Amino acid sequence: MPKINPQAPTDFTGIETSKPATEAAGFSAVFSSMKHVFGAMPVRRGLKSLLNLNQKGGVDCPSCAWPDPDGERSKIAEYCENGAKAIAEEATTRKVTPVFFQKYSVSQLSQKSDYWLGQQGRLTQPLVLREGQTHYEKISWEESFKLIGNQLNSLPSPDEAIFYTSGRTSNEAAFLYQLFIRMYGTNNMPDCSNMCHESSGSALGETLGLGKGSVKLDDFEKAEVILILGQNPGTNHPRMLSALEKAKRSGAKIISINPLIEAGLLKFKHPQELRDVLFGGEILTDIYLQIRINGDLALLKAMNKLLLEAEQKSGNVFDKDFIFNQSENYENYIESLESENLEQLSEACGIALDEIKAATQLIIDHKKIIVCWAMGLTQHKNSVVTIREVVNLLLLKGSIGIEGGGTCPVRGHSNVQGDRTMGIYEKPPKILLDNLQKVFDFDPPRKHGLDTVASIKAMSEGKVKVFIAMGGNFLSATPDTEFTAKALQNCDLTVQISTKLNRSHLIHGKTALILPTLGRTDLDLQINGEQFVTVEDSMGVVHSSKGVLEPISEHLLSEPAIVAGMAKATLANKNLDWDKLVANYDHIRDLIEKTIAGFEKYNYRVRQDGGFYLPNLPRERKFGTDSAKAKFSINELETIQLLECEYIMMTIRSHDQFNTTIYGLDDRYRGIYNERRIIMMNEKDMAEAKLEKYQVVNLFNHHGGIERVAEKFIVVPYNIPRKCVATYFPEANVLVPIDSFADISKTPTSKSVVITIKALS
Ligand SMILES: Nc1nc2c(c(=O)[nH]1)N[C@H]1C(S)=C(S)[C@@H](COP(=O)(O)OP(=O)(O)OC[C@H]3O[C@@H](n4cnc5c(=O)[nH]c(N)nc54)[C@H](O)[C@@H]3O)O[C@H]1N2
Ligand SMILES: Nc1nc2c(c(=O)[nH]1)N[C@H]1C(S)=C(S)[C@@H](COP(=O)(O)OP(=O)(O)OC[C@H]3O[C@@H](n4cnc5c(=O)[nH]c(N)nc54)[C@H](O)[C@@H]3O)O[C@H]1N2
Ligand SMILES: [Mo]
């Protein structure tokens, strides 16, 4: 067999660098949006998609889960540069047809870059790679479903199949999918959340009784202090910058905590506001703490210790009424804080005590505090305890369930939160299973299933034979690329339900299927007419999303139709009329309403302007914990000890990508152009290691005594703390060890990979 490459090729594309930007958006963002959209499709189609984006009743932007304003929205543009790129990527009129797959073998395709694969266009027909063959070929939908059904039914146990979900899947598709999987008999439902905000869900669930954030978009205008930890909103949640701009104009102070000085956190120039264009935009961050990678727990502990000292002096820093009536474990927590040492904590996070004091003073002086965070907090070994320490800070101040205060884990994929609400979870709550049993009259499996890391291990050990993915790019998004590739290749059947070609189509089981599906922007026409779907944003608003564009091919099926096809071909249980559900998604929503709390009058309420909020107890200062109280927690500090030759590496997103989808080769705000195989490094570390600017190096990780190597990266001198380095995801995923994950949440430690560096020349 010709060699198939699980990693992107190592060819260089021609690096250029300049000074990093000091502000985000502005005209260059507008220009960049237009370039991407009109480069990928005719002008009429481009305008139609952009004008409908994030409008009430329009298309929900697939680029992130940041909420839309509840009230008035901009008539022309409720989207951002990166939303426009996401649309260009999906609504493109370029397509890959069966002829394309006759031309390129799987092995040849695996030698192409991720960028090239994406640029080939939308998938148009179901494809099969038969056992022993080198090329994908056309297959009918009927035969595809039969193949899946036969394979699933031939397994000795349903637990030998795995069903992955990425977070773009709508509520309707996700609900049907988990129903099918549980009727089939397993809870093996790993999802992208396992690699993303699982640590937030674990920490918040345990301490506040709900694994979701508590603030609403309106709270930003009312907040007095906003902390932003481990998040790069200028690139990954650009619409958040408008909320931060408003907050600043209402007097809020912003504290940013990040190893990199990210342009989007410095200053925002709203591209559609004349005031910003003429007068230069809004300075966002008041205090920037350039923390060492994984220093956050030490910093938060230092802040909380300083709060305690201030409280002991003045007696008016803590919200004692809240603490004594609505929380527990306060005394033990305070005792643990007493024994902390501020100098040691300052040393551990790499921030001078004076700077920590200045930031903490803002928290001492104010009550309405929002803490925002994303992957910089969630992808470390100690992520869950770090986020619990965020909760401690808010509890001390009583800043939870009040206007202008609370938790704000900023979600990634546009419906990742909704998929979880719909039951895409390997550890389903009892209430969900009980309700499924009642409504659908079957015995759902009670044993917990496999999460992402456990799924890879099970495939690797030959315990799983079928892998089905509802969206996403499992191979490239998961850790330890070479290990995961071998695991996937152990399967008898791999099935990818996708919109675009990606590397997961190329690393396959004995037989492989690619099932092409409609995306968010596509018109979804079923027997009862045009359908819309629903999604839940980062703040728990459920609203509709309706595609408007003519699908690129007549052979695409919607995700609900694909689930129904698989279910009909697989299940012996014929209780459910799957065709009726697909004919009109209102019927699916009726079933969701019967099964999941908070969806009363779903079909009615979701048709109202802007949708509806799901119930959220912490938002009302109530806690769904066993004691109905919020919990203080004691979080031990363990620091990562580096040898002299070692560095701690974070794998982050550039400005021109959506996860594993590469839109382009620039990271404009960071001043890095036309190259993704780079490693950002402190100049003093470079000098010590005798590395020059643009020197080519190999990167190694040796976790568990196994050598992992990422070949050929270019050294870029960058303003980053000593001993900390940064590379891009997914190129560096090969270095993330499969056995290194967060305690409790099992999220791979993609932001604290210990590496060594070796010059090639
Ligand atoms: N355009 C675009 N939008 C996206 C995505 C995309 O790829 N492209 N992805 C979507 C998804 S699924 C997600 S989850 C989100 C991701 O959104 P982010 O979490 O913003 O994404 P990352 O690039 O992983 O950025 C992590 C940030 O954390 C910082 N950081 C890393 N380690 C640490 C640390 O130890 N401590 C602190 N304090 N900071 C640290 C990095 O410097 C970086 O600024 O964005 C969503 N939106
Ligand atoms: N090293 C490292 N690894 C990481 C991360 C990191 O920061 N560092 N981040 C992690 C995070 S936060 C996440 S969320 C995961 C992301 O992991 P995934 O969600 O698995 O990956 P994506 O790149 O978002 O998936 C892209 C593919 O989804 C398909 N797709 C797009 N839209 C649709 C649709 O509407 N329907 C269907 N069926 N398919 C669609 C397309 O074929 C596209 O190629 O990666 C994780 N991996
Ligand atoms: Mo994510």
Side-chain angles (χ1 to χ4, degrees):
M1 285 283 266
K3 180 161 165 34
I4 295 183
N5 198 357
Q7 293 185 57
T10 54
D11 312 328
F12 292 130
T13 38
I15 187 164
E16 282 174 43
T17 48
S18 68
K19 272 213 173 105
T22 50
E23 62 181 39
F27 278 130
S28 46
V30 177
F31 174 72
S32 175
S33 324
M34 297 305 150
K35 183 180 78 178
H36 278 88
V37 171
F38 299 118
M41 69 192 90
V43 172
R44 266 189 57 181
R45 188 174 167 94
L47 283 176
K48 194 168 177 185
S49 56
L50 288 181
L51 292 176
N52 268 285
L53 205 54
N54 289 333
Q55 296 300 329
K56 292 176 180 169
V59 183
D60 179 62
C61 181
S63 186
C64 75
W66 189 256
D68 307 309
D70 287 335
E72 218 25 45
R73 297 188 189 169
S74 156
K75 288 276 177 299
I76 49 159
E78 204 48 78
Y79 61 88
C80 68
E81 172 192 357
N82 278 344
K85 290 184 204 159
I87 292 301
E89 185 75 19
E90 179 176 297
T92 177
T93 43
R94 288 179 217 132
K95 41 187 164 181
V96 283
T97 59
V99 177
F100 171 90
F101 290 97
Q102 284 167 10
K103 182 166 166 203
Y104 293 103
S105 69
V106 172
S107 160
Q108 283 169 328
L109 289 173
S110 79
Q111 310 306 321
K112 303 285 190 188
S113 70
D114 293 331
Y115 175 61
W116 187 92
L117 292 176
Q119 286 300 302
Q120 303 314 300
R122 283 284 293 270
L123 294 159
T124 53
Q125 291 207 29
L127 299 158
V128 64
L129 183 68
R130 298 197 192 271
E131 195 172 340
Q133 294 301 303
T134 53
H135 290 65
Y136 274 99
E137 60 189 89
K138 223 164 44 169
I139 182 175
S140 70
W141 279 104
E142 209 188 324
E143 205 196 322
S144 310
F145 293 141
K146 226 196 267 158
L147 210 156
I148 294 170
N150 288 344
Q151 195 77 39
L152 287 175
N153 284 323
S154 73
L155 297 179
S157 153
D159 289 335
E160 291 189 20
I162 282 173
F163 299 84
Y164 175 69
T165 313
S166 163
R168 271 196 192 168
T169 294
S170 65
N171 283 352
E172 290 74 6
F175 183 80
L176 284 193
Y177 188 47
Q178 63 81 36
L179 182 62
F180 155 54
I181 298 164
R182 295 199 165 104
M183 283 183 161
Y184 169 63
T186 183
N187 283 312
N188 284 348
M189 274 176 248
D191 68 349
C192 68
S193 203
N194 297 150
M195 299 178 268
C196 185
H197 267 294
E198 198 71 60
S199 305
S200 312
S202 299
L204 295 173
E206 204 181 312
T207 53
L208 302 175
L210 180 72
K212 303 181 183 181
S214 72
V215 301
K216 290 183 176 181
L217 192 51
D218 286 355
D219 286 314
F220 278 77
E221 281 171 75
K222 297 168 191 152
E224 294 164 334
V225 180
I226 301 172
L227 277 82
I228 306 171
L229 297 105
Q231 198 201 342
N232 178 21
T235 287
N236 298 313
H237 307 90
R239 285 179 305 122
M240 179 175 168
L241 301 187
S242 314
L244 294 177
E245 182 182 46
K246 272 196 194 151
K248 283 294 292 201
R249 287 186 180 154
S250 319
K253 299 285 182 197
I254 296 181
I255 304 169
S256 291
I257 299 165
N258 201 305
L260 301 180
I261 307 296
E262 304 283 25
L265 292 168
L266 293 178
K267 188 174 179 189
F268 176 52
K269 231 181 187 174
H270 201 309
Q272 286 121 18
E273 268 198 27
L274 195 60
R275 166 161 70 159
D276 280 8
V277 173
L278 293 179
F279 303 111
E282 196 73 38
I283 303 276
L284 295 180
T285 296
D286 296 278
I287 297 186
Y288 213 116
L289 303 180
Q290 195 174 9
I291 195 166
R292 194 172 286 151
I293 294 175
N294 197 34
D296 304 82
L297 180 56
L299 173 69
L300 288 159
K301 277 176 164 261
M303 287 178 151
N304 288 346
K305 167 109 180 160
L306 288 166
L307 290 181
L308 175 63
E309 288 182 1
E311 167 68 22
Q312 285 164 340
K313 251 187 235 149
S314 71
N316 60 10
V317 174
F318 289 176
D319 183 340
K320 289 185 281 289
D321 195 38
F322 172 77
I323 292 173
F324 293 123
N325 292 310
Q326 292 200 262
S327 79
E328 61 184 26
N329 205 28
Y330 168 75
E331 284 79 13
N332 292 336
Y333 175 64
I334 293 300
E335 203 181 296
S336 77
L337 268 188
E338 306 260 10
S339 63
E340 295 290 352
N341 175 310
L342 282 172
E343 277 74 30
Q344 280 170 7
L345 293 171
S346 150
E347 173 76 30
C349 63
I351 299 172
L353 201 48
D354 283 350
E355 285 184 71
I356 304 179
K357 283 185 179 164
T360 311
Q361 194 59 44
L362 291 176
I363 302 172
I364 292 172
D365 294 341
H366 297 96
K367 164 106 183 159
K368 298 178 173 179
I369 300 156
I370 295 180
V371 185
C372 306
W373 70 90
M375 297 305 102
L377 280 208
T378 64
Q379 299 175 332
H380 302 279
K381 180 160 188 302
N382 60 359
S383 284
V384 176
V385 289
T386 302
I387 297 163
R388 291 204 305 220
E389 200 62 27
V390 166
V391 172
N392 285 340
L393 184 148
L394 292 169
L395 294 183
L396 289 174
K397 294 292 296 181
S399 196
I400 185 100
I402 59 168
E403 273 200 346
T407 56
C408 185
V410 184
R411 299 274 165 179
H413 262 303
S414 51
N415 197 39
V416 60
Q417 191 159 313
D419 290 346
R420 209 25 98 70
T421 308
M422 291 298 111
I424 300 292
Y425 196 11
E426 75 283 356
K427 297 195 281 290
K430 182 171 178 301
I431 176 100
L432 172 75
L433 299 179
D434 290 347
N435 288 347
L436 285 171
Q437 186 157 22
K438 241 185 282 161
V439 177
F440 297 98
D441 193 22
F442 76 108
D443 287 327
R446 298 274 163 175
K447 192 177 94 182
H448 285 174
L450 302 171
D451 61 18
T452 294
V453 168
S455 293
I456 298 169
K457 288 283 215 178
M459 286 189 273
S460 160
E461 290 160 9
K463 291 183 185 152
V464 161
K465 289 294 168 198
V466 177
F467 174 86
I468 299 180
M470 178 59 83
N473 183 357
F474 190 85
L475 168 78
S476 305
T478 51
D480 228 335
T481 314
E482 296 287 337
F483 182 86
T484 299
K486 290 202 187 88
L488 284 163
Q489 286 164 334
N490 261 348
C491 290
D492 289 336
L493 175 68
T494 48
V495 180
Q496 301 285 343
I497 299 158
S498 314
T499 51
K500 299 285 296 270
L501 188 58
N502 66 47
R503 208 159 288 279
S504 291
H505 302 125
L506 311 176
I507 300 297
H508 52 81
K510 278 197 197 113
T511 304
L513 283 169
I514 301 176
L515 303 181
T517 183
L518 295 174
R520 256 326 141 69
T521 50
D522 295 317
L523 193 71
D524 185 352
L525 193 59
Q526 302 294 345
I527 292 175
N528 283 161
E530 290 179 13
Q531 304 298 311
F532 66 85
V533 293
T534 59
V535 293
E536 175 185 341
D537 68 31
S538 207
M539 294 177 187
V541 180
V542 177
H543 62 92
S544 67
S545 174
K546 187 170 180 303
V548 290
L549 301 178
E550 186 66 29
I552 195 83
S553 152
E554 58 187 5
H555 302 292
L556 306 183
L557 288 187
S558 74
E559 290 181 349
I562 295 174
V563 175
M566 295 194 291
K568 286 197 296 176
T570 308
L571 300 177
N573 176 342
K574 303 285 178 206
N575 289 351
L576 207 58
D577 184 348
W578 294 90
D579 292 330
K580 180 180 148 196
L581 297 176
V582 175
N584 184 343
Y585 298 172
D586 279 356
H587 296 313
I588 308 178
R589 286 184 285 270
D590 285 339
L591 294 177
I592 295 173
E593 176 175 337
K594 283 193 189 154
T595 314
I596 296 171
F599 287 85
E600 297 75 21
K601 292 200 248 156
Y602 194 177
N603 275 308
Y604 169 77
R605 286 195 297 158
V606 84
R607 283 178 165 84
Q608 308 308 303
D609 255 6
F612 60 92
Y613 278 91
L614 285 175
N616 185 310
L617 285 181
R619 189 173 282 163
E620 299 163 34
R621 269 204 161 186
K622 295 183 188 147
F623 305 101
T625 53
D626 43 9
S627 56
K629 293 200 165 161
K631 296 184 186 199
F632 280 96
S633 57
I634 298 167
N635 306 306
E636 297 294 332
L637 184 68
E638 272 175 54
T639 44
I640 297 172
Q641 299 299 330
L642 297 175
L643 299 176
E644 209 174 290
C645 59
E646 289 176 335
Y647 302 83
I648 182 162
M649 177 181 81
M650 53 181 181
T651 54
I652 56 177
R653 292 155 171 78
S654 84
H655 192 61
D656 268 0
Q657 73 185 85
F658 185 90
N659 298 342
T660 68
T661 299
I662 311 303
Y663 301 138
L665 302 175
D666 298 342
D667 197 0
R668 192 174 80 240
Y669 292 149
R670 298 195 185 110
I672 299 169
Y673 299 90
N674 207 34
E675 186 57 75
R676 293 184 51 84
R677 299 192 76 82
I678 58 105
I679 173 163
M680 294 172 222
M681 234 180 137
N682 184 301
E683 271 183 290
K684 291 194 181 124
D685 286 336
M686 286 171 54
E688 260 177 28
K690 302 200 169 49
L691 294 172
E692 313 255 318
K693 178 178 175 183
Y694 293 172
Q695 186 144 5
V696 178
V697 294
N698 280 351
L699 313 177
F700 298 85
N701 168 277
H702 289 100
H703 186 94
I706 296 164
E707 179 169 283
R708 299 172 186 80
V709 50
E711 283 173 26
K712 289 176 73 189
F713 278 67
I714 297 173
V715 175
V716 174
Y718 207 83
N719 177 3
I720 184 169
R722 292 294 302 269
K723 299 296 269 182
C724 297
V725 293
T727 50
Y728 297 130
F729 144 56
E731 284 80 357
N733 280 40
V734 61
L735 296 173
V736 185
I738 187 75
D739 286 321
S740 171
F741 42 74
D743 298 331
I744 303 170
S745 69
K746 303 283 186 342
T747 297
T749 55
S750 311
K751 297 283 191 278
S752 42
V753 188
V754 175
I755 64 157
T756 53
I757 303 176
K758 214 177 194 171
L760 272 183
S761 43

